[in-house]
Amino acid sequence: MVHRDIVSNRRTVLKTIGVLGTIGGVSGVGSANSNGNRDPRLDLVGHTTLGARDGANTHGAVSEEHDLAAVGSFVFGNNELRLVDISDRTDPELVSTIFTDPDGHSSDIRNSDIHPTEPWVFTANEGGEGAGWAIVDASDRENPELIGSFTVEDAPSGVHNVQAFGDDYLITVGHGRGAVVYDISDPGNPEEVSSFQMPEPGEDHDDGHEHEADGETIHAAHVRGDYAFLAHWNRGLYVLDMTDPEDLEVVASFDYSEEEADAPLRACHHAVPHPSDDICLLGEEIGTGEPGYKHIVNFDLEDGETELQSSFQFPQHANQPTGSQGFWWTGHFSDWGVGDQQDVVFSGDYKAGVQVFDVSDPEDPVRIDQYMPSEGVDEVRREDPARYDLVDNVPFTWGAESSLAGDSGHIYVSDATTGFYIFTLEGY
C-alpha cells in the first residue's frame, strides 16, 4: 500500500460563519437571505415512536431500495436492532427486533448500515473486548435472522461504525485499529482483507498506515464511488482510493494536525461527501463548552489538494451546559439532499433537533430551517425507565439521512427519545 504525500503546512484562510437563530424558530436567518421568495420548511410525513422500547434509539440506516430502516439502541445488556417498514412513508411501522450479539458482549448498537442490493443489515456492536459487528438477514423483516456476529482481530473494543462498500465489502471503524475492510461475499464467513490507520499526530512512522495500539481513532466512514471518506477524530479527513479494496491508497487529506484556521479543528465525527460536487462536510461532536463546528472542505482527488471553504455552527459561540446536560447544540450525523436539494445539508444535532443548511454557496452556508422532534413524548416516557439517561432529553436527535437512503428526496431522522421520523423539505 502506498501512502501518497499530499499537502502539508498550509495556512488556511477561514471564513467563519455565525448561523444565528433561536431554538424553536429561525431568527435572523430569513428565507430571503438565501432563497429569494422561497420559504423552505421541513414537513412531517410520517412518524413512529418504535413502541417506547427500553433503551434510547441510535442511528437509523435507511434503504429505500428495500423499504427498510434499521435503528440501533442503547440498552444495558443485550443490544437490540429495530427494523422499520417504510413502504408507506406516512406510516412507518416497527415490525421486528433482534439481538445481534448473542454472547452479550455488546451493550448497544451505535450505528448500522444496509447492503446496497441484499436485504442485509450490518450493525456496529459497541462494547469491550469480544464485541464487534454483525450481519442480519432481513429478507423476512418480520422474522429477521442473525447471519453471524464477528470480532475485529486484536481490536481493544467493539465497533463504533460500519459502512458497506459495493456488494462484497464492509468497512469497520471505531474499534482501535483504524479502518478494517472485510470481504463479505460469503456473509457467514467474512475475511479481513486490508486496513488503514494513521499514527497519532506528532508520532513518526515510516509507512503511514496499519498502526495498531498507537494509531489514531477513525470515527466514521462514508463512501462515494470508489472512494472512502474517513473521519479521523483528531486528524480530520482522509480519502482512500478503494478501487482495489485489498490495496488501499490515500489520495487526499485535510489533516487537522497540519492546518491552521480561525475556528478550532477537533473531534471529527463524520465526513460526508457531496453527491456530485468535490466538497465534503466534516461534522464535529463536542459535548461541553463551545459547540462543534461543521466544516466544508473542497477536495481534488487527482492532485490531492484540499481547501477549507467555511466553518459554521449554531448557535454561534454559545457555551453548552456541562455534565449530564451536555451535548446541547453540537452536531451529530448529517447528510446531503438529492436532486435540486443536493446542496442542502440535513443534520441531526442532538438537543438542537433537525437543522437544515443551504450550502449552495460553500463559502457562505445559511441555516434555513429547524425542527424539534417531540411527537409521542408522553408515550415513550416511563415513571421508572430501565434505560439510558438520553431518553429524558427531548429532543435528542441522533442523525439524518437523505441521499444515503435513496433518491426519493425524503429525509429520515432518528431521535433517541421519540423514535423515527420521515420528512420532506418543501419550498426550497
Side-chain angles (χ1 to χ4, degrees):
M1 288 183 269
V2 177
H3 176 206
R4 183 185 301 173
D5 290 327
I6 315 297
V7 218
S8 61
N9 300 319
R10 298 186 304 273
R11 166 83 184 165
T12 300
V13 178
L14 166 67
K15 182 173 184 180
T16 304
I17 295 140
V19 185
L20 303 176
T22 58
I23 299 294
V26 181
S27 173
V29 184
S31 60
N33 285 3
S34 62
N35 289 282
N37 295 322
R38 291 180 290 178
D39 180 24
R41 66 195 181 280
L42 284 174
D43 277 3
L44 181 62
V45 174
H47 169 247
T48 172
T49 62
L50 301 173
R53 308 195 60 78
D54 284 343
N57 307 301
T58 61
H59 181 69
V62 178
S63 169
E64 292 180 343
E65 172 75 16
H66 300 297
D67 284 329
L68 179 67
V71 181
S73 61
F74 267 119
V75 182
F76 288 129
N78 286 332
N79 62 30
E80 182 180 78
L81 179 67
R82 297 151 186 182
L83 297 182
V84 182
D85 185 330
I86 61 167
S87 55
D88 181 353
R89 304 292 195 269
T90 67
D91 188 24
E93 180 185 5
L94 176 72
V95 291
S96 63
T97 64
I98 185 173
F99 298 130
T100 66
D101 181 12
D103 295 328
H105 296 293
S106 173
S107 61
D108 60 82
I109 299 172
R110 205 68 62 92
N111 174 267
S112 57
D113 196 20
I114 301 176
H115 191 279
T117 57
E118 299 291 342
W120 299 342
V121 179
F122 307 103
T123 66
N125 296 343
E126 193 83 21
E129 189 175 357
W133 59 281
I135 307 178
V136 171
D137 185 350
S139 299
D140 180 354
R141 64 193 62 190
E142 296 184 3
N143 296 283
E145 296 183 0
L146 181 64
I147 294 177
S149 57
F150 313 98
T151 58
V152 178
E153 186 176 358
D154 297 327
S157 69
V159 173
H160 194 73
N161 277 280
V162 289
Q163 171 67 58
F165 178 77
D167 287 340
D168 294 330
Y169 296 93
L170 183 76
I171 306 168
T172 66
V173 299
H175 40 59
R177 283 193 53 208
V180 177
V181 180
Y182 290 89
D183 182 333
I184 55 166
S185 54
D186 179 357
N189 296 283
E191 178 185 0
E192 179 181 331
V193 295
S194 61
S195 64
F196 170 83
Q197 188 171 28
M198 289 296 293
E200 293 180 359
E203 293 187 7
D204 184 18
H205 292 276
D206 292 335
D207 57 358
H209 58 75
E210 289 193 56
H211 300 288
E212 306 298 340
D214 59 352
E216 179 59 49
T217 296
I218 299 176
H219 187 274
H222 286 84
V223 167
R224 192 179 85 177
D226 291 331
Y227 299 93
F229 292 73
L230 305 181
H232 271 264
W233 189 255
N234 290 318
R235 281 189 173 271
L237 171 67
Y238 270 74
V239 185
L240 300 183
D241 184 341
M242 292 187 58
T243 304
D244 180 355
E246 300 185 17
D247 187 11
L248 310 177
E249 181 183 0
V250 176
V251 292
S253 68
F254 183 79
D255 193 317
Y256 289 177
S257 68
E258 300 174 352
E259 299 292 336
E260 297 179 16
D262 295 335
L265 300 172
R266 59 202 169 145
C268 187
H269 178 272
H270 58 282
V272 188
H274 187 279
S276 59
D277 294 343
D278 289 338
I279 56 175
C280 185
L281 170 72
L282 306 185
E284 298 181 348
E285 181 186 29
I286 304 292
T288 59
E290 187 178 355
Y293 283 82
K294 304 181 198 306
H295 308 286
I296 303 297
V297 174
N298 177 268
F299 60 84
D300 187 328
L301 299 181
E302 294 298 320
D303 60 20
E305 293 284 342
T306 57
E307 182 180 4
L308 186 59
Q309 302 292 294
S310 59
S311 295
F312 56 103
Q313 61 178 183
F314 170 82
Q316 186 182 19
H317 307 306
N319 279 353
Q320 305 175 104
T322 59
S324 62
Q325 294 300 308
F327 295 97
W328 272 76
W329 302 300
T330 195
H332 209 224
F333 280 110
S334 309
D335 191 18
W336 299 89
V338 301
D340 61 3
Q341 297 178 5
Q342 69 173 359
D343 293 331
V344 176
V345 167
F346 302 98
S347 190
D349 284 349
Y350 284 146
K351 293 181 184 178
V354 189
Q355 300 201 84
V356 186
F357 300 92
D358 184 348
V359 194
S360 53
D361 179 356
E363 296 185 358
D364 188 19
V366 176
R367 193 182 74 142
I368 56 176
D369 199 20
Q370 179 184 31
Y371 191 99
M372 303 293 278
S374 62
E375 285 76 6
V377 64
D378 292 335
E379 177 186 346
V380 301
R381 279 183 167 150
R382 292 290 183 269
E383 206 171 293
D384 185 21
R387 54 173 121 178
Y388 197 73
D389 289 342
L390 289 179
V391 298
D392 291 329
N393 302 315
V394 179
F396 205 87
T397 305
W398 196 268
E401 287 198 0
S402 184
S403 67
L404 295 172
D407 58 8
S408 75
H410 287 91
I411 302 100
Y412 304 89
V413 170
S414 58
D415 186 85
T417 308
T418 56
F420 182 77
Y421 294 76
I422 302 177
F423 298 94
T424 56
L425 179 66
E426 303 296 334
Y428 176 77

